[in-house]
Amino acid sequence: MPDALLNRPLTFPPLDRARPQPDAPPAHERAAGISVEVLADAQDFAALAPDWNRLHDQAEPASVFNSWIWQFQWWQVYGKDRPLRLLVARDGGEVVGILALYVHTVRVLGVPVRLLRLVGTGGDTHPDDLGPVLDPGRSSAVAAELAHALLGLRDADVLLLTDLSPECALVGALENAAGIAGRPALVAPSERIAFVRLPGSWDAYLRALSSHRRSRIRYTRRRVAAENGRFYVWSDPAGIDRAFERLAELHCRRWAAHGGSESFGSPEYLEFHRRVMKACLPRGWLRLYCLQIAGEPAAMIYAYRFRNAIYWMQSGFDPDHGRLEPGNVLLGYAFEHAIGEGNAVFDFLRGDHGYKDQLATDHRETVSVRVFRATPGALAYRLRRVWLPRWKARLLRRPAPKLRP
């Protein structure tokens, strides 16, 4: 989406003046009959699982990354002592919307700035397609109430919601609510994501390739088969720890010659993804594609399946088998398996890698929303993260940089 303030003159805006607001109330009643309660306890997070799962099963849009499983495990590992803010919308006694956030304090230009961020963002994990889970029959009304409640929270300077689906009703609701409240708000692209639209059969996929690529797939598969190579999808819950450790080892080995990788580099990253994989495997969401050579997985792709789409998270391969191109061979098998399951999309998620654009048939975007209060912290943030990058980009005639916390 275009930035609503992008074409304004380059002047130094005065401090924003917002309406006086009470301290964040536990609930806020509206004419629509929907109330929003703000919870702040990890036990409340755990107790929301049944309602969250029910809404997530029905919500549009929805992803693995805004499921209760992903969000709760992230909070358990990365939340630590940061203040939790769970917004729960109810219509009568029924939960009709949930949005999980936390307060993250950073220093900008020497000023402490309190950011209200989505659970799931921050740390060394970078998921896409975050946002609330909303009752599909009342998504617009619920999103409007959540937006109003968000603007009523006083314990943050900047509302910083990144990696939302453009289809999320909260995006427009926040932009509208901020306009009514006289709050500066920016809605802008967050990430550009490559994906492959999968045809109905593997033969159809091959026919769409160049003759060179078709020949290369067949040739490399024959070479791997000659080494007793075998493709499979990991399905053994008892061995998931062993599979995870091999995945981490292969990923680190693959990137060692290229300066290393942030992924699998911290105890938190390892703990979080191990937990999520264990929780998602019984639900049928996990896809751990494996190519075995000489009795051991020589290449692995870590992905999730949700609503007939595959989402690639990470991968790795053993450089000792590099001559067999195990990573490329495995990717071909993963595509074939995904097509065989009836999936329509193989999504590469975020990350600027040339091979993604080479393989992709299309691209999509996530969006970010920033709303500012009239505080010194918000002013420092806007100066450093919004105005100065714009001025520099215009001076150098370059695109503005991507959003950073």
Side-chain angles (χ1 to χ4, degrees):
M1 289 186 183
D3 189 328
L5 302 182
L6 189 58
N7 296 318
R8 290 191 178 180
L10 291 177
T11 57
F12 194 89
L15 184 67
D16 304 312
R17 299 297 176 190
R19 300 175 183 176
Q21 297 166 343
D23 290 336
H28 183 78
E29 296 290 338
R30 299 288 296 227
I34 297 173
S35 65
V36 177
E37 183 181 13
V38 182
L39 306 175
D41 195 291
Q43 293 182 348
D44 294 323
F45 207 150
L48 282 171
D51 285 314
W52 196 317
N53 290 336
R54 171 181 56 82
L55 288 172
H56 185 256
D57 286 344
Q58 305 167 5
E60 291 288 351
S63 73
V64 170
F65 311 115
N66 72 345
S67 68
W68 180 87
I69 287 175
W70 187 280
Q71 298 262 298
F72 184 70
Q73 295 299 343
W74 188 96
W75 180 253
Q76 292 285 93
V77 174
Y78 289 99
K80 299 180 180 177
D81 298 325
R82 292 171 177 168
L84 177 66
R85 297 292 179 266
L86 292 167
L87 273 62
V88 182
R90 290 185 172 87
D91 190 349
E94 182 185 7
V95 175
V96 292
I98 302 173
L99 178 64
L101 308 105
Y102 69 101
V103 180
H104 179 199
T105 301
V106 297
R107 296 193 75 84
V108 180
L109 299 176
V111 179
V113 181
R114 298 164 301 170
L115 306 174
L116 191 59
R117 307 186 67 185
L118 292 166
V119 167
T121 56
D124 52 2
T125 57
H126 308 284
D128 300 294
D129 307 314
L130 296 171
V133 286
L134 306 173
D135 184 294
R138 290 166 278 190
S139 59
S140 296
V142 175
E145 299 305 315
L146 288 174
H148 188 89
L150 277 171
L151 296 188
L153 297 176
R154 291 178 56 91
D155 52 0
D157 303 297
V158 179
L159 174 62
L160 176 64
L161 307 186
T162 60
D163 309 301
L164 294 159
S165 167
E167 300 171 1
C168 178
L170 186 63
V171 175
L174 271 172
E175 195 171 18
N176 182 62
I180 294 172
R183 298 277 195 89
L186 304 177
V187 179
S190 188
E191 294 288 336
R192 183 173 183 266
I193 297 170
F195 66 92
V196 177
R197 295 190 187 275
L198 300 175
S201 70
W202 176 242
D203 286 342
Y205 176 81
L206 290 176
R207 285 195 300 269
L209 302 179
S210 67
S211 60
H212 173 74
R213 283 188 62 191
R214 285 196 301 272
S215 299
R216 191 72 191 167
I217 288 172
R218 290 164 178 153
Y219 170 70
T220 53
R221 284 189 175 189
R222 287 196 299 270
R223 293 186 69 196
V224 167
E227 301 284 338
N228 295 319
R230 181 173 72 92
F231 166 77
Y232 62 97
V233 181
W234 196 283
S235 59
D236 175 21
I240 197 68
D241 282 313
R242 178 164 50 89
F244 179 80
E245 289 163 6
R246 182 60 174 170
L247 169 68
E249 177 189 0
L250 291 173
H251 180 87
C252 293
R253 291 194 65 188
R254 183 259 182 271
W255 287 103
H258 301 277
S261 168
E262 181 187 58
S263 301
F264 302 100
S266 72
E268 291 82 6
Y269 189 100
L270 294 169
E271 177 65 16
F272 169 67
H273 284 279
R274 189 190 302 269
R275 287 186 180 204
V276 170
M277 287 170 64
K278 287 182 176 181
C280 288
L281 181 60
R283 296 205 65 167
W285 289 352
L286 180 66
R287 291 295 180 273
L288 198 55
Y289 303 111
C290 305
L291 183 67
Q292 179 177 299
I293 299 175
E296 281 285 340
M300 299 177 76
I301 292 175
Y302 165 31
Y304 287 96
R305 185 194 189 205
F306 186 74
R307 294 184 181 175
N308 295 327
I310 301 294
Y311 297 91
W312 174 329
M313 290 293 299
Q314 291 293 349
S315 64
F317 66 84
D318 187 346
D320 290 345
H321 295 292
R323 64 182 180 83
L324 297 175
E325 302 180 37
N328 290 332
V329 173
L330 178 58
L331 182 58
Y333 278 122
F335 279 177
E336 184 175 6
H337 186 273
I339 292 169
E341 282 190 314
N343 293 295
V345 167
F346 199 104
D347 195 306
F348 292 117
L349 297 175
R350 71 170 64 202
D352 296 325
H353 297 289
Y355 71 87
K356 293 184 178 182
D357 286 324
Q358 291 173 7
L359 293 169
T361 60
D362 211 335
H363 293 80
R364 63 185 180 92
E365 285 186 339
T366 54
V367 299
S368 66
V369 181
R370 289 175 283 180
V371 183
F372 306 95
R373 290 184 60 226
T375 64
L379 183 61
Y381 180 96
R382 294 183 76 192
L383 175 60
R384 180 63 185 88
R385 301 287 190 238
V386 180
W387 298 323
L388 288 180
R390 284 182 183 169
W391 298 338
K392 183 177 179 181
R394 289 187 182 181
L395 185 64
L396 300 176
R397 297 183 179 179
R398 294 176 180 171
K402 286 184 179 179
L403 173 67
R404 297 193 299 119

